[in-house]
Amino acid sequence: MTFSYPTVVGLDMSSAFDAVYHHALIDRLQSDFSVTVTCVVDHILPKRSSSVRMNSTASKSVSAHFGVPQGSVLGPMLFTAYVAPVGRLISHTVIDFQQYADNINIYTSLSSSSADLTQLTSCTSSLQHWLWHNGFLLNPEKSVAALFGTTPCQTRLADPLC
């Protein structure tokens, strides 16, 4: 008898909104959106700058080449467009997923077959590689994995002789 265990892996990206590279975002928008949308975003992002203020003294302002606005509707929308390739990457596997902003949840069923675990491992490795290559890091303190099943069922999964 084959048993199947629902499994979810929740991945959280560290400081994700701050890691969006403007030039790459514009490139992605050009391939997926209208010229008008791309021009508006290209006009807004270069005007972002940052400085440090301590008491009454402020540092020189420098242009920000990374990051999308936070605390607005625009930030999550731009971020979602930037990480859209993540969805395309996962959709080429048999694994289901949900994504919102900097959180990715992948769902699958694991059985005693090593193929299921191999697919899950391959998917998470591909995700981690894409994220690293695009300037993101996974936050291990906010990323989790859960295997659902009764204790006897989980024991059966852990014992390859069963």
Side-chain angles (χ1 to χ4, degrees), residues 26 29-30 32-44:
I26 297 301
L29 290 174
Q30 287 174 339
D32 293 336
F33 292 91
S34 71
V35 173
T36 305
V37 169
T38 304
C39 287
V40 167
V41 172
D42 196 24
H43 181 73
I44 293 169

Side-chain angles (χ1 to χ4, degrees), residues 88-100:
R88 291 190 286 271
L89 177 78
I90 299 171
S91 68
H92 287 109
T93 70
V94 296
I95 295 183
D96 294 320
F97 74 99
Q98 290 181 326
Q99 179 181 358
Y100 180 73

Side-chain angles (χ1 to χ4, degrees), residues 17-159:
F17 281 60
D18 296 330
V20 173
Y21 180 47
H22 294 172
H23 183 73
L25 173 61
I26 297 301
D27 286 348
R28 290 188 186 142
L29 290 174
Q30 287 174 339
S31 66
D32 293 336
F33 292 91
S34 71
V35 173
T36 305
V37 169
T38 304
C39 287
V40 167
V41 172
D42 196 24
H43 181 73
I44 293 169
L45 290 180
K47 295 185 178 189
R48 293 174 44 92
S49 62
S50 61
S51 65
V52 176
R53 176 177 295 282
M54 185 172 196
N55 297 326
S56 61
T57 306
S59 68
K60 181 180 173 185
S61 183
V62 295
S63 295
H65 300 285
F66 290 86
V68 293
Q70 296 181 44
S72 71
V73 174
L74 185 60
M77 289 172 52
L78 292 175
F79 182 82
T80 300
Y82 187 76
V83 297
V86 165
R88 291 190 286 271
L89 177 78
I90 299 171
S91 68
H92 287 109
T93 70
V94 296
I95 295 183
D96 294 320
F97 74 99
Q98 290 181 326
Q99 179 181 358
Y100 180 73
D102 60 345
N103 297 300
I104 304 166
N105 293 316
I106 54 179
Y107 306 92
T108 192
S109 290
L110 292 180
S111 67
S112 55
S113 163
S114 64
D116 294 338
L117 187 56
T118 300
Q119 290 174 356
L120 180 60
T121 302
S122 175
C123 180
T124 55
S125 293
S126 295
L127 275 172
Q128 186 172 10
H129 177 75
W130 187 92
L131 293 168
W132 178 80
H133 183 74
N134 286 274
F136 297 104
L137 294 175
L138 290 175
N139 185 343
E141 293 183 13
K142 291 185 178 179
S143 297
V144 296
L147 177 76
F148 297 95
T150 63
T151 301
C153 290
Q154 289 180 357
T155 303
R156 217 176 286 122
L157 181 64
D159 186 354

